[in-house]
Amino acid sequence: MRPPTQLYVVPTPIGNLEDITLRALRVLKEVDFILAEDTRTSGNLLKHYGIENKLVPHHLFNEHKTIEGIVDRLKEGAVCALVSDAGTPAISDPGYLLVRACIQAGITVECLPGPTAFVPALVNSGIASDHFIFEGFLPHKKGRHTRLTLLSTEEKTMVFYESPHRLVKTLSQFAEYFGEERYASVSRELSKLFEENARGSLKELAAHFGAKTVKGEIVIVVAGAMGK
Ligand code: SAM
C-alpha cells in the first residue's frame, strides 16, 4: 500500500463551477491548509461549495521563498492542497517547483485528475490528438521568432494558450510561419456561457477574430506540419 498523501495538487473549474470532482471537494475540506495562487479567487470557490479552510498565498512571486517552509511543515506531518486560480496547478501556473521540492524531500505528492483548458480544446478541435505538444504561452518578444521557426516544421499537433488581445496577432504570425492554409482551431471561454470553438485555416481564423473585439480566455490548436 502506498504511503498517505501529504501534498494534493487539486484542479479547479476553468469556468463552469460544476466541473469539480467529489474527491477534490473532500480533499479541500479535509487538508490542514490550502496553498492558493490567489486567496480571494479560491476563497470565492470554497464559499460556493460551503467549504471552510485556511488559505495560504502561494504564487509566482513568493513560491521560491515559501517552498522551504511548506516542505518543513509537510515533513512535520501536515497535509496540504495546492490550487491555482483555474484548472490544474503547474500547467502554465505555479506548482512544479513545489512538487519537485516535495519529491526531493520524500513527501508523497498526488495530483487529482480534473479540469485543464488544453484537453477540451484539443478534443474539440478535431485535429489529430494521438500525438501533440503543449506549448503554453509563447514568449512575447525575446525568443518568439526562434520558437516559431522551430515549430514551423513540427509534425505533431500544437497547443497554445493565448490572451484575447494578442489572438489576432498570433494567428497572423502563425499564418506567416506555418502557412496561411494550415488548419487550426480556436477555443474561447471553454465551459462558460459564451463558449466558442472556431475551426478553419489560419487565414480564415485571423479574419474571423480580426472582425470583432475578442474577449475571454483562449486556447489555439494548430495541426502539425503533416496536416492531420
Ligand atoms: N492551469 C490552467 C489549466 O490547467 O489550463 C491554465 C492557467 S493559464 C494562467 C490561463 C490560460 O489558460 C488562459 O489564458 C487561457 O489560455 C487558458 N484557459 C483557462 N481557462 C480557459 C477557458 N475557460 N477557455 C479557454 N481557455 C482557457
Side-chain angles (χ1 to χ4, degrees):
M1 213 169 71
R2 61 181 178 179
T5 300
Q6 290 165 279
L7 170 66
Y8 287 96
V9 180
V10 180
T12 55
I14 57 163
N16 189 324
L17 291 177
E18 288 180 32
D19 294 334
I20 192 154
T21 68
L22 297 174
R23 188 149 77 107
L25 294 175
R26 179 178 57 75
V27 165
L28 292 175
K29 217 177 285 173
E30 288 178 358
V31 290
D32 298 315
F33 60 98
I34 301 169
L35 297 165
E37 192 185 2
D38 181 333
T39 51
R40 214 177 53 178
T41 306
S42 300
N44 290 336
L45 187 80
L46 294 190
K47 200 164 154 206
H48 179 84
Y49 298 114
I51 296 172
E52 281 183 27
N53 206 334
K54 191 147 49 104
L55 288 163
V56 177
H58 180 79
H59 42 70
L60 268 185
F61 310 104
N62 76 352
E63 65 174 340
H64 283 276
K65 286 192 207 127
T66 53
I67 282 175
E68 213 180 291
I70 297 164
V71 168
D72 286 345
R73 285 186 70 183
L74 298 181
K75 273 203 229 159
E76 284 160 13
V79 178
C80 86
L82 171 69
V83 297
S84 61
D85 285 357
T88 302
I91 300 297
S92 293
D93 264 337
Y96 110 88
L97 287 178
L98 177 65
V99 169
R100 189 175 61 177
C102 286
I103 292 167
Q104 284 167 352
I107 290 164
T108 319
V109 179
E110 188 180 352
C111 177
L112 270 52
T116 188
F118 77 88
V119 174
L122 175 63
V123 176
N124 282 340
S125 74
I127 300 171
S129 55
D130 47 354
H131 296 98
F132 64 91
I133 58 164
F134 175 70
E135 279 291 309
F137 292 99
L138 279 173
H140 294 164
K141 290 196 176 88
K142 200 166 165 277
R144 192 171 171 99
H145 166 73
T146 313
R147 198 78 215 132
L148 286 169
T149 306
L150 204 80
L151 291 173
S152 63
T153 53
E154 175 57 61
E155 293 185 0
K156 298 185 186 86
T157 299
M158 298 172 276
V159 184
F160 302 87
Y161 282 171
E162 191 49 286
S163 69
H165 66 276
R166 281 205 191 83
L167 176 66
V168 174
K169 181 188 159 202
T170 297
L171 288 172
S172 308
Q173 273 188 329
F174 283 175
E176 208 180 293
Y177 283 80
F178 307 156
E180 56 183 29
E181 294 310 322
R182 184 80 72 94
Y183 190 78
S185 169
V186 174
S187 289
R188 198 172 62 79
E189 296 289 78
L190 285 160
S191 81
K192 301 184 200 176
L193 194 59
F194 296 103
E195 172 167 340
E196 175 186 14
N197 292 282
R199 305 165 184 100
S201 68
L202 286 168
K203 185 178 161 186
E204 286 166 346
L205 288 170
H208 171 77
F209 287 103
K212 58 182 183 178
T213 308
V214 186
K215 287 188 187 150
E217 300 193 277
I218 285 151
V219 184
I220 311 173
V221 182
V222 184
M226 298 302 280
K228 279 195 283 166

